Amino acid sequence: MMTPGETRTRLGNRHALIAPDGLVPGALPGISGAVVNVVISPAMGAGFTQLLLTFEAEGHAIFAPGAVESCAYVMAGSCTARIDQSAESLRAGGFVFVPAGTRLELSQPDPGTRVTVFQKHYSLLAGVPAPAPVVGNANDVAGHPFLGDPDARLKTLLPDMPAFDMAVNLFTFQPGARLPFVETHVMEHGLIVLEGEGVYRLEESWYPVAAGDAIWMAPYCAQWFVAMGRGPASYLYFKNINRSPLK
Ligand code: UGY
Ligand code: MN
């Protein structure tokens, strides 16, 4: 139990740890019958948005077509995803990516279904057609040893092709496994811990983290992770990719 007046949440200029205890829901257009948390957003300095939706029975989320692309990942429960005219069932681990200009609707959730949604303004690449929608399940995606470490496995959920300007990846670490070095890179991250425990280094701070914690890492935020629990630790994360930093 947290001492009254305490929180593990930390918000800085270059990174944030957002612990679930401090989340406050807010309404968003097109979403009903769901607790909506805007976990990461441009309001804190990020170049993207990370939403957490917890659906009630009859819950419904419509992402209207526009300049924004979206990738929704079902962390628990199940729902139906409608992309334009086609409908897909998503169970835990299921994900859907819709490019800018395409309508996405999430409906018929099991009560308690939890979905993380990453959204960003699409950055068109001259001469390259925009990406098509993608539907899949992380359980069907092979995990590859990260930089040769079989105990740190990375699943890349979206195609790594120039048309895509966002990556959504799933990282699973065996107890004691870690990122091999402190990363510093221009790409941003939004992250949610799905299971297990560990310690995340963000710039000059080291944070114990566990399932449900979310993290924002601004460009060049120094970052490192070690899994510390008795079982595997996994996190889902967003990364902007494939575009010149010179806008
Ligand atoms: O893709 C990445 O940059 C990844 N290795 N970063 C991270 O897990 N913090
Ligand atoms: Mn990284």
Side-chain angles (χ1 to χ4, degrees), residues 35-108:
V35 176
V36 181
N37 293 116
V38 181
V39 181
I40 298 172
S41 76
M44 66 170 61
F48 65 97
T49 294
Q50 181 175 328
L51 308 178
L52 175 63
L53 309 180
T54 307
F55 284 102
E56 298 148 15
E58 313 293 325
H60 209 89
I62 295 172
F63 299 95
V68 165
E69 58 190 342
S70 303
C71 184
Y73 180 95
V74 178
M75 299 192 296
S78 69
C79 64
T80 298
R82 253 172 241 284
I83 308 159
D84 287 335
Q85 304 312 322
S86 67
E88 306 276 351
S89 303
L90 299 181
R91 299 158 178 274
F95 61 89
V96 56
F97 165 86
V98 292
T102 300
R103 180 183 189 274
L104 171 65
E105 179 178 348
L106 303 177
S107 62
Q108 298 171 293

Side-chain angles (χ1 to χ4, degrees), residues 114-245:
R114 283 157 52 84
V115 179
T116 282
V117 185
F118 300 109
Q119 295 187 292
K120 75 179 284 295
H121 286 276
Y122 182 59
S123 172
L124 196 66
L125 190 58
V128 176
V134 181
V135 180
N137 191 296
N139 297 320
D140 303 327
V141 177
H144 297 288
F146 185 65
L147 300 179
D149 183 352
D151 288 336
R153 290 195 175 257
L154 189 64
K155 294 185 177 188
T156 306
L157 303 186
L158 302 181
D160 184 9
M161 291 162 53
F164 285 83
D165 69 349
M166 77 152 82
V168 175
N169 300 337
L170 189 59
F171 224 147
T172 303
F173 299 79
Q174 296 307 311
R178 52 191 189 242
L179 286 178
F181 57 89
V182 180
E183 297 182 5
T184 310
H185 51 65
V186 68
M187 299 78 81
E188 237 181 315
H189 288 317
L191 174 161
I192 183 152
V193 182
L194 300 182
E195 66 167 338
E197 297 166 29
V199 173
Y200 231 105
R201 174 184 174 165
L202 301 169
E203 301 178 279
E204 298 311 314
S205 300
W206 281 256
Y207 300 102
V209 295
D213 287 343
I215 293 173
W216 168 57
M217 298 173 227
Y220 298 108
C221 169
Q223 58 200 255
W224 179 82
F225 177 72
V226 58
M228 298 285 281
R230 290 174 182 268
S234 70
Y235 57 75
L236 178 75
Y237 70 99
F238 160 96
K239 183 175 184 176
N240 54 310
I241 55 166
N242 283 334
R243 295 295 181 270
S244 167

